[in-house]
């Protein structure tokens, strides 16, 4: 159980992920708070969260032939990278690096999106994904 109320933790997390909290439906916030309260009751919740965070950081800083950037450079499929210009989690420099690293990439920046552009602007993300699929099909015919 955390000393910080579930509502506050949910709002803080959503505030990091969304550029505009007004795009989060109140029912979604309510459900997220319920889920956080449910997880708080699980003994393994804290260690699982810490382990996940360590694994993400570990992968990010891994060196050698199988680090994430070297793996990205080996991707042969057309790749769509979408970055929200108001992302508070992934710096724009990482999106630019992805644009230089993936061999066949389309980098799309959404000006008013945060970290979860697919949730804030699903119509734009869907349109870009459909565009990539259509172009890929046209090139393989």
């Amino acid at each position: 159980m955390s000393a910080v109320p579930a509502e506050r933790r949910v709002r803080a997390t959503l505030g990091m992920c969304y550029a505009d909290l007004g795009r989060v439906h109140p029912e979604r916030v309510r459900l997220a708070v319920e889920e956080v309260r449910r997880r708080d009751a699980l003994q393994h919740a804290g260690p699982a969260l810490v382990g996940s965070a360590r694994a993400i950081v570990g992968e990010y800083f891994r060196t050698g032939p199988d680090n994430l950037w070297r793996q990205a450079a080996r991707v042969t499929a057309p790749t769509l990278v979408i970055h929200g210009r108001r992302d508070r989690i992934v710096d724009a420099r990482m999106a630019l690096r992805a644009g230089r690293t993936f061999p066949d990439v389309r980098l799309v920046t959404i000006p008013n999106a945060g970290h979860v552009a697919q949730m804030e602007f699903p119509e734009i993300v869907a349109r870009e994904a459909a565009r990539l699929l259509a172009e890929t099909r046209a090139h393989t015919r």
Side-chain angles (χ1 to χ4, degrees):
M1 182 81 152
S2 173
V4 179
E7 294 85 356
R8 192 162 153 201
R9 286 182 282 149
V10 165
R11 291 203 181 276
T13 300
L14 293 173
M16 285 296 294
C17 295
Y18 283 77
D20 177 7
L21 274 175
R23 290 189 168 273
V24 183
H25 193 281
E27 178 66 4
R28 179 66 190 106
V29 174
R30 186 188 69 72
L31 291 171
V33 170
E34 282 182 15
E35 178 61 16
V36 167
R37 287 182 181 140
R38 185 190 71 77
R39 287 184 196 165
D40 283 348
L42 303 173
Q43 288 184 344
H44 65 274
L49 179 64
V50 170
S52 295
R54 284 183 179 150
I56 289 169
V57 171
E59 281 302 310
Y60 183 81
F61 288 108
R62 183 164 39 136
T63 59
D66 287 326
N67 78 30
L68 294 175
W69 292 111
R70 289 190 175 139
Q71 289 182 49
R74 294 192 299 260
V75 172
T76 59
T79 304
L80 176 62
V81 173
I82 295 182
H83 186 262
R85 186 165 285 142
R86 294 175 59 195
D87 192 328
R88 294 176 187 98
I89 297 172
V90 176
D91 189 274
R93 291 174 292 191
M94 292 299 101
L96 294 172
R97 184 174 181 185
R100 291 189 310 269
T101 303
F102 285 96
D104 184 4
V105 67
R106 171 178 292 127
L107 175 59
V108 175
T109 301
I110 302 176
N112 294 317
H115 188 67
V116 290
Q118 73 280 9
M119 295 170 76
E120 290 183 282
F121 297 95
E123 65 287 344
I124 295 173
V125 173
R127 183 179 66 234
E128 291 297 335
R131 181 174 158 205
L132 179 73
L133 290 171
E135 289 174 4
T136 300
R137 285 185 193 114
H139 289 294
T140 58
R141 289 184 183 151

